[in-house]
Amino acid sequence: MSVTLDGDKSGSVPDRSQHNTGIPPKPLTRRPFRRTRRLFRGPRPESVPALVGTACTLVGLLDIAAGVFPRFRHSRMHTVAEVLPGALGPLSAALSISVGVLLLLLAHGLKRRKRRAWQAAVVLLPAGAVAQFGYRHSLVGALLSLVLLALLLRHRGEFAALPDPRSRWKALANFFLMGAGSIGLGLIIVSVHPHRTVGNPGLAERLEHVLYGLFGMDGPIDYNGIVSGTVGDSLGALGLLTALTTGYLAFRPEHPAARLTEDDERRLRALLARHGGRDSLGHFALRRDKGVVFSPSGKAAVCYRVVSGVMLASGDPIGDVEAWPGAIERFMDEAKAHSWTPAVMGCSETGGEVWTRETGLDALELGDEAVVDVPDFSLHGRAMRNVRQMVKRIERAGYETRVRRVRDLSDGELARIRRAADDWRGTDTERGFSMALGRIGDPADGDSVIATAHKPGEDATGPYGDLKAVLHFVPWGTDGMSLDLMRRDRSADPGMNELLIVASLHASPALGVERVSLNFAMFRSALARGERLGAGPVLRGWRGLLVFLSRWFQIESLYRFNAKFQPRWEPRYVVFRSTGELPRIGFAAMQAEGFVTLSLPRPLRRLARDRHPRPCAHDTASPPDPEVRTAY
């Protein structure tokens, strides 16, 4: 019995008439010139943004080199660069440098498929073609510009990304960055003409000449011939370019970053009330510096924050598991609309399976979350000896503990705890994103738990009274809680955190809590396996690198601290699109967690805080302090 597939035009089934007449079927061969036809059809649409962005980067670098280095303008390499679109070096050094910088700025937007970058390129390329043909009589260069323009017009649908969140603070950041870059480039321009320089000026005189030149004035250095005009025009162009870009960023419309609205928070709290026990990170979705997308049915949501072009989600989606695919699809649509890089930090194994199945993304184990089951916890036994001895020693020193719900504390005590937690923070930027709420004592978070350590007999007239340490837990469903932050007075005895965690675990049954999520330990399995007997050289080397990095990041210390309480380890994953994006995702995650801070200088931050005081943590109508503690 033979089976024939209707409509099969692949040629794998021979023609029936040929088979009946005994004529052998024609062997299947690869069609020739397939690659040649691919060249005539042009590049694939999805590769056009990267191709155009790379071309703009190359041309921009060549234009800057042509404007800065005098010998480069007469080299063979620059003769070849004459036919590249946008290479306007022969017009003047100043114009060449300006165009080069603009092309470099434009290239990043083109690679990210930004609509505004496409519009700018469509305007600049015809101007470049006219300049090449009119000033250099370069027909080849003009044609290449028009070909690139035609490519952009044909594939205009590939450049549909919306603008990123932005504010006018970026204008000030641009002023400092462009100013620093202009000074550095200006020093090179001033120094590449040693044979035309009058005298032997030092670094201070060169820097003074650059600063004067950026404002269009003559500096203390003199040059022979036309070099003086070339240097002056180049420095003036850099100064003008810095002023124009700063002015554009200052006066363009703002697109503030997404934040939780009161309606979004109400809907999220309703989802957490029904499904909050599924993920220990669920309550952290209520950070008010996050955006949120809901599934079409409204039964699930994904919360996120955009950092350096990366759309970071944390934990599992909120809500009904059956509605997760709808929320994930909305998340991916939002990322595609803005050309953001999608990523998920710290999702569970179930969440990772849904994310990878619905989106085609990949997953990598990031570390383990320490979870203590309250009924199984005990200080007895050899494994808990160190913790038991530390707790007994601190109790003998006169410390007392109190573990209460937030709603059971008075307003005055909450204010004192908030002030102490803020003052005891060890860094200017508080770390945290995935496992940090960013506020203490909000009336809407009445189910949160605060554990405090006190030392009676201390001077109670200070701003914190006898308060020595604070732990804050957020709800994890109806029978759990998840650690948010740990703070202690630096003058208190060591072991405050161990004391309060043990006190919280002992008080959990009275609070109806059966499970407690502690810190997250990155690469916990690698650290544990690398120290075992018989570990291979690769695993030992990887563990050695992690131990070395622990000097700056809490990697090994968090693992050791969590292991004291004999928890069970729940793996957490990072979900990403491609391996090449992992460095960018990692850098964005470090920014979100507070390990890397790209902010204004401290005096300007202080000025901004004075002009716009930080809202109180209990003020539900205002966004919270974006600085939060990290659990990573």
Side-chain angles (χ1 to χ4, degrees), residues 243-318:
L244 291 178
T245 55
T246 302
Y248 167 75
L249 293 174
F251 294 105
R252 68 176 178 174
E254 291 191 69
H255 291 266
R259 292 182 179 270
L260 283 185
T261 64
E262 294 183 1
D263 182 63
D264 292 336
E265 186 173 342
R266 178 184 57 79
R267 296 174 66 184
L268 284 174
R269 289 186 182 275
L271 292 177
L272 288 172
R274 294 192 296 269
H275 308 281
R278 184 176 298 278
D279 185 16
S280 63
L281 306 187
H283 198 85
F284 298 118
L286 298 176
R287 285 180 60 108
R288 296 178 185 133
D289 58 352
K290 290 183 177 180
V292 60
V293 289
F294 290 90
S295 65
S297 64
K299 296 182 179 180
V302 175
C303 295
Y304 67 92
R305 187 200 292 179
V306 179
V307 182
S308 298
V310 178
M311 192 176 183
L312 280 175
S314 58
D316 293 343
I318 307 299

Side-chain angles (χ1 to χ4, degrees), residues 478-517:
T478 58
D479 61 349
M481 60 185 185
S482 185
L483 180 60
D484 176 24
L485 62 80
M486 299 185 295
R487 297 284 165 75
R488 68 178 181 88
D489 188 348
R490 299 298 178 182
S491 63
D493 294 341
M496 290 289 102
N497 293 331
E498 289 86 344
L499 172 68
L500 287 181
I501 288 180
V502 171
S504 301
L505 291 171
H506 284 164
S508 292
L511 299 172
V513 173
E514 298 182 358
R515 50 187 179 165
V516 177
S517 171

Side-chain angles (χ1 to χ4, degrees), residues 286-417:
L286 298 176
R287 285 180 60 108
R288 296 178 185 133
D289 58 352
K290 290 183 177 180
V292 60
V293 289
F294 290 90
S295 65
S297 64
K299 296 182 179 180
V302 175
C303 295
Y304 67 92
R305 187 200 292 179
V306 179
V307 182
S308 298
V310 178
M311 192 176 183
L312 280 175
S314 58
D316 293 343
I318 307 299
D320 189 355
V321 176
E322 295 183 356
W324 283 7
I328 291 174
E329 183 179 0
R330 288 281 180 88
F331 176 88
M332 297 300 293
D333 290 343
E334 187 78 5
K336 182 178 180 181
H338 293 269
S339 190
W340 292 330
T341 300
V344 185
M345 299 297 297
C347 65
S348 67
E349 187 172 359
T350 301
E353 290 176 352
V354 177
W355 274 100
T356 55
R357 183 183 69 239
E358 296 296 328
T359 63
L361 301 179
D362 201 356
L364 180 68
E365 185 174 342
L366 186 62
D368 296 271
E369 176 189 9
V371 179
V372 178
D373 294 315
V374 175
D376 300 333
F377 178 77
S378 174
L379 285 178
H380 300 293
R382 182 177 180 83
M384 299 297 295
R385 182 179 60 179
N386 291 336
V387 177
R388 182 174 62 251
Q389 292 176 349
M390 180 175 292
V391 171
K392 293 297 183 182
R393 178 179 56 81
I394 298 175
E395 288 177 345
R396 288 194 298 268
Y399 287 91
E400 297 179 356
T401 59
R402 302 168 192 169
V403 182
R404 295 158 291 174
R405 297 280 185 183
V406 166
R407 58 173 174 264
D408 298 329
L409 275 71
S410 65
D411 293 341
E413 189 171 5
L414 277 175
R416 184 166 62 252
I417 291 173

Side-chain angles (χ1 to χ4, degrees), residues 53-197:
T54 302
C56 284
T57 300
L58 177 61
V59 173
L61 293 174
L62 291 174
D63 281 341
I64 293 175
V68 172
F69 302 103
R71 294 182 180 180
F72 182 81
R73 289 195 294 270
H74 305 289
S75 65
R76 294 182 179 179
M77 185 177 179
H78 187 260
T79 303
V80 176
E82 291 284 310
V83 299
L84 292 176
L88 306 179
L91 294 179
S92 68
L95 182 60
S96 180
I97 294 173
S98 301
V99 170
V101 173
L102 290 175
L103 286 175
L104 290 179
L105 297 176
L106 183 64
H108 182 64
L110 289 173
K111 288 183 177 180
R112 295 189 58 202
R113 304 169 183 266
K114 292 298 183 181
R115 188 69 178 178
R116 296 287 176 83
W118 177 87
Q119 293 171 347
V122 168
V123 172
L124 290 175
L125 283 173
V130 172
Q132 290 181 68
F133 184 75
Y135 289 93
R136 294 201 307 265
H137 306 288
S138 174
L139 182 60
V140 176
L143 289 177
L144 286 177
S145 297
L146 294 177
V147 167
L148 190 57
L149 174 64
L151 191 64
L152 285 174
L153 293 175
R154 179 183 178 185
H155 299 283
R156 57 185 177 274
E158 297 294 324
F159 300 88
L162 301 175
D164 289 345
R166 61 199 187 199
S167 67
R168 289 190 172 87
W169 284 110
K170 290 190 175 181
L172 189 58
N174 176 83
F175 175 77
F176 283 102
L177 293 176
M178 285 289 294
S182 297
I183 291 175
L185 191 57
L187 286 174
I188 297 176
I189 294 173
V190 170
S191 303
V192 294
H193 306 277
H195 301 295
R196 299 295 182 91
T197 305

